[in-house]
Amino acid sequence: MTDHPTIPEVTDEDIAWIADTMGLDDLDGDRRAFLKRTGTFDVSACPGSGKTTLVVAKLAILARKWRHPTSGICVLSHTNVAREEIQNRLGHTPVGHRLLHYPHFIDTIHAFANRFLALPYLRSNGFPSPLVDDDVAKAFRWNVLQGQERWNFENWLNNRHTSIDDITFLDSDLSVALTSRDFPAGPHTATYQRAKRIIVESATAGHFRYEEMFVWAECLLEQFPEISVSLSRRFPLVLMDEMQDTSQRQAALLASIFDRTNGPCFVQRVGDPNQEIFKSGQEQNIADPFPDVGEGRTMSIGSSRRFGAPVADLANPLAIVPIDDGGLQGSGPQRAAAFSDHNRNLIIVFPDNNTDGVLDAFGTHLLETFDDETIAIGDCVAVGGVHRPAPEAIAAGHAKFPRSVEHYWGGYSPEVLKSDRHPKTLVGYVHHAQIMMRMSGDTAGGIAHFATGLKRLARQIGKPESTLERTRKHMAIRGVLAPIPDALARYDQFVNTFLIAMTPVTEEVWPGYAQQFRELAGQLCQGDINLDAGAGFLAWEDPQADLPEPGVAQAHTDNVVNVSLGDREVSIRLGSIHQAKGQTHFATLLLSTFQNHHSSEKIVRWLTGEKLAGIGEGVQNVSRLKQSYVAITRPTHLVAIALRDSAIAANRAQALEQLQARGWEIRDLLLIVAEN
């Protein structure tokens, strides 16, 4: 490689500095090797290995020694966890500030593709300032057809088990497709032409889904292949986090820009192939598989700081890709470690047609095993692979029962805590920003959410300034308003009053602020504006009835079941495995749910130790095993699994003996039912 900006060397002194700065304890050989390693390589990091913290530590060391004013580090992932970790751990330091600004770029894969490729392509081809959002695009597309034509079209789609929400395009010709398959009619048909009209009008208006932006990114690279070289020199070091969840299309795009074989940049990818339960798009990454199979280009971190040896031993057989050096190792938890080696991890066997005692059994077991102070270390959670209700009626006795999380507790709602990311009004953004901050303490996220709403208002009034397309909307708005001190002061006053001091916004005061925001939105636009527009978006909307009181944390208030034992009580929060990924719990219960098969029946041979890894398994069971692995590697102290009796019915006594030999404690609800 020539003219490659030098990547700083990481020394023992650098590691000592970042360990002190971030409060990192006992960085072992594998972790120190990751921090020091240069060049292109992949790292497979097990659950609880602290990989995001390690990524941030490495970034901080490199940024502190970085000497290239126009070339930076590019960090890509599916979420902004790395950026949030930098803000939380290093926000008070100069190096943290440096990392979050030019020449470095830390954001999602979608944001990277949009900023450097898709948006420049669209603007240069005469598209309006695009609004990239699945929900907004879907809402627009639902309204393209009207009356009888729309009714006929919806009915046709419903009969083919799809809807307008699934309509998309996969190439620059806007050829119609569905998100998971081809469109079920040929281009010559009237039905196809209706779908084509929906897509064309949506594109003309600038409304796109997130995945659709990769079409335009690919177009730019196809027309100007030299951009790949420019970007690889702009970012001589690329760090990709959560690489296991990268789709085929994303991987192919990134590989075409950042050549991991011939440079001119270094690419370091981090992830865990055993935790691949999300798919961005419908395809797995086979374009540039992770981890690399090249000799010397892969390392692993198989020691978890989250849990101890008992949980690691039970989870290890479910790892689809075997972990080097003796499998998954547990070297945690850091808090109340003495209580984690109890060997009371639990299997709850329940009757096929009765789940009533499952949550009670889990809660009672926790109260019997731990004192209140220890349980208070973290959340106690019950999760399932399926958490949304079925369109068909399923009750006890049905072959698919229990199908979803709701079958363990009738009060479960999959919509609880689901953020309304696109309120119908600007004041709805204010209400929701306050909910976000009261639930999580994420002030920056709440302010950014409100700033996104103000940008939506600007779009209705005119054409927003191009700087508002930046990810950090709040700072972009302040930048546009900076030459207008009175306007900037009004904006800052609102943020300080309602989004920092958290003063409730009322129906009485809103009209005055609505007029101010109408004027501010006009000042955020370029060219002609229409200040009479946006009346509906500026209308008053009541806050949600369950808006938390100021200062009241949201934990243990929704989808929570309380279980008592004497005068003691434990709260169990219910949710989905996908929601739980990335979380750490005190104790986790994996519920049996149904998708093609009952999950407990399909994983029981891994729980007994009869089977290891995923060799020879079909796609469905590989996915099921990965979800189970994610679920049972969430807890610091105790893991439990609910098994339908049919999972072990073929040879019940032998199965129970095998489970106990593996270290599981058994709570057999069938015996309790029989006794009663």
Side-chain angles (χ1 to χ4, degrees):
M1 284 182 274
T2 60
D3 301 326
H4 191 289
T6 304
I7 307 301
E9 178 187 2
V10 177
T11 66
D12 289 334
E13 290 74 19
D14 294 324
I15 294 175
W17 167 77
I18 196 60
D20 181 64
T21 300
M22 294 181 63
L24 306 180
D25 298 323
D26 188 26
L27 289 171
D28 60 18
D30 288 341
R31 289 167 173 82
R32 296 174 74 89
F34 168 74
L35 294 176
K36 288 185 173 184
R37 189 159 177 177
T38 58
T40 292
F41 71 97
D42 289 348
V43 55
S44 295
C46 73
S49 60
K51 65 180 179 59
T52 301
T53 299
L54 286 172
V55 167
V56 169
K58 184 164 188 167
L59 290 173
I61 293 171
L62 295 175
R64 186 178 181 224
K65 306 174 78 170
W66 200 260
R67 298 293 180 264
H68 310 295
T70 58
S71 297
I73 305 168
C74 180
V75 184
L76 303 177
S77 186
H78 299 273
T79 65
N80 264 318
V81 172
R83 172 178 284 274
E84 292 164 1
E85 183 86 353
I86 291 169
Q87 290 171 332
N88 293 336
R89 302 290 289 270
L90 299 170
H92 63 289
T93 66
V95 73
H97 180 79
R98 205 175 302 152
L99 273 170
L100 297 176
H101 292 82
Y102 181 87
H104 308 300
F105 181 85
I106 302 176
D107 216 317
T108 64
I109 296 172
H110 285 90
F112 174 86
N114 289 349
R115 177 171 173 178
F116 293 103
L117 301 169
L119 290 174
Y121 178 87
L122 288 171
R123 290 177 187 135
S124 65
N125 283 276
F127 283 86
S129 179
L131 178 57
V132 185
D133 187 277
D134 282 9
D135 293 337
V136 173
K138 290 176 186 177
F140 182 92
R141 293 170 188 183
W142 271 101
N143 292 318
V144 170
L145 302 180
Q146 299 293 327
Q148 187 67 34
E149 183 182 31
R150 171 170 161 171
W151 187 91
N152 290 338
F153 186 62
E154 287 181 28
N155 194 47
W156 186 89
L157 291 172
N158 288 337
N159 289 335
R160 286 153 183 82
H161 308 290
T162 188
S163 75
I164 292 175
D165 282 350
D166 293 326
I167 294 176
T168 187
F169 61 92
L170 301 177
D171 56 49
S172 59
D173 294 333
L174 302 182
S175 300
V176 179
L178 299 179
T179 53
S180 59
R181 55 193 171 100
D182 294 336
F183 191 76
H188 61 283
T189 64
T191 304
Y192 182 95
Q193 292 305 315
R194 289 191 183 98
K196 179 84 169 184
R197 196 167 94 216
I198 288 172
I199 291 298
V200 170
E201 290 196 22
S202 177
T204 302
H207 295 307
F208 298 104
R209 299 173 68 143
Y210 295 113
E211 289 298 314
E212 291 166 355
M213 296 299 281
F214 287 103
V215 170
W216 311 121
E218 292 160 355
C219 286
L220 189 69
L221 288 175
E222 184 177 349
Q223 293 181 22
F224 303 98
E226 64 272 18
I227 287 176
S228 294
V229 177
S230 298
L231 284 172
S232 334
R233 295 189 180 279
R234 165 75 169 79
F235 298 112
L237 177 62
V238 181
L239 262 165
M240 299 181 186
D241 197 8
E242 298 292 353
M243 191 63 200
Q244 76 280 350
D245 290 325
T246 305
S247 71
Q248 168 100 333
R249 189 165 209 163
Q250 292 170 350
L253 180 75
L254 294 173
S256 70
I257 301 168
F258 303 120
D259 187 342
R260 295 191 308 113
T261 303
N262 300 310
C265 63
F266 295 132
V267 181
Q268 300 180 358
R269 307 188 300 178
V270 184
D272 182 358
N274 290 312
Q275 295 189 74
E276 181 208 13
I277 63 171
F278 289 102
K279 294 201 174 59
S280 300
Q282 299 300 317
E283 296 179 305
Q284 290 180 290
N285 169 22
I286 57 174
D288 190 15
F290 173 85
D292 201 328
V293 295
E295 184 176 353
R297 286 162 59 98
T298 301
M299 64 175 293
S300 63
I301 301 175
S303 172
S304 176
R305 302 287 178 78
R306 177 178 293 155
F307 42 74
V311 171
D313 290 344
L314 295 174
N316 192 58
L318 288 92
I320 293 297
V321 180
I323 299 170
D324 295 340
D325 301 323
L328 182 63
Q329 304 295 313
S331 59
Q334 295 181 343
R335 298 181 62 189
F339 285 88
S340 66
D341 200 21
H342 48 74
N343 288 318
R344 294 207 67 196
N345 295 297
L346 183 67
I347 293 285
I348 303 169
V349 183
F350 65 93
D352 289 1
N353 62 353
N354 186 356
T355 61
D356 288 348
V358 172
L359 296 176
D360 283 340
F362 179 50
T364 300
H365 187 75
L366 292 173
L367 293 168
E368 291 173 347
T369 306
F370 305 105
D371 57 38
D372 291 342
E373 183 179 356
T374 306
I375 292 176
I377 288 173
D379 288 341
C380 301
V381 180
V383 295
V386 180
H387 83 127
R388 294 191 174 277
E392 58 183 314
I394 294 176
H398 193 287
K400 296 180 181 179
F401 183 87
R403 178 189 174 275
S404 64
V405 174
E406 68 169 349
H407 289 140
Y408 293 85
W409 183 54
Y412 180 77
S413 170
E415 303 302 323
V416 168
L417 297 183
K418 179 184 178 184
S419 60
D420 182 6
R421 297 172 56 249
H422 303 285
K424 298 177 182 178
T425 64
L426 183 59
V427 73
Y429 274 88
V430 180
H431 294 323
H432 188 250
Q434 291 185 334
I435 291 175
M436 289 171 64
M437 290 184 283
R438 288 173 184 169
M439 286 171 58
S440 65
D442 182 12
T443 300
I447 294 173
H449 184 70
F450 166 70
T452 299
L454 185 56
K455 191 236 177 174
R456 278 188 65 186
L457 176 61
R459 182 183 294 278
Q460 296 185 27
I461 287 174
K463 183 179 181 180
E465 291 282 355
S466 59
T467 55
L468 295 186
E469 298 301 333
R470 296 174 182 169
T471 302
R472 303 183 69 192
K473 297 286 190 295
H474 170 61
M475 297 305 296
I477 288 172
R478 295 195 81 254
V480 174
L481 296 179
I484 316 168
D486 288 347
L488 179 59
R490 290 198 301 273
Y491 175 77
D492 284 346
Q493 179 196 19
F494 186 88
V495 170
N496 288 328
T497 301
F498 296 100
L499 302 178
I500 295 179
M502 295 289 284
T503 304
V505 60
T506 64
E507 188 171 4
E508 290 72 27
V509 304
W510 179 247
Y513 283 107
Q515 181 57 36
Q516 290 183 35
F517 286 127
R518 191 191 304 272
E519 295 169 2
L520 287 176
Q523 290 162 329
L524 296 173
C525 295
Q526 52 185 318
D528 295 335
I529 60 173
N530 178 12
L531 288 178
D532 294 329
F537 192 62
L538 284 168
W540 170 257
E541 179 182 9
D542 288 329
Q544 296 179 17
D546 59 350
L547 181 67
E549 293 299 322
V552 176
Q554 189 68 12
H556 306 315
T557 58
D558 295 303
N559 280 340
V560 167
V561 175
N562 294 315
V563 177
S564 300
L565 180 65
D567 60 354
R568 299 173 62 214
E569 185 175 79
V570 64
S571 297
I572 302 168
R573 173 165 51 86
L574 280 70
S576 73
I577 294 173
H578 289 78
Q579 290 170 336
K581 185 173 182 287
Q583 295 178 357
T584 295
H585 308 153
F586 175 79
T588 308
L589 167 63
L590 172 60
L591 302 170
S592 179
T593 58
F594 185 94
Q595 188 164 12
N596 301 308
H597 296 280
H598 288 285
S599 60
S600 60
E601 296 174 11
K602 287 295 183 177
I603 69 169
V604 69
R605 295 178 68 189
W606 282 261
L607 303 180
T608 61
E610 292 180 64
K611 300 196 75 171
L612 298 173
I615 298 173
E617 293 300 308
V619 173
Q620 289 182 359
N621 213 37
V622 165
S623 176
R624 194 175 290 115
L625 289 166
K626 287 179 178 178
Q627 288 188 31
S628 301
Y629 180 81
V630 166
I632 67 176
T633 55
R634 295 310 94 199
T636 57
H637 284 73
L638 185 140
V639 62
I641 297 180
L643 294 183
R644 270 177 118 237
D645 181 55
S646 57
I648 60 172
N651 198 334
R652 206 168 195 278
Q654 179 182 339
L656 292 176
E657 183 178 339
Q658 289 174 319
L659 290 167
Q660 289 173 320
R662 285 281 300 137
W664 294 103
E665 183 170 326
I666 309 296
R667 187 161 296 210
D668 191 345
L669 300 187
L670 275 78
L671 296 179
I672 297 174
V673 170
E675 290 171 359
N676 293 335

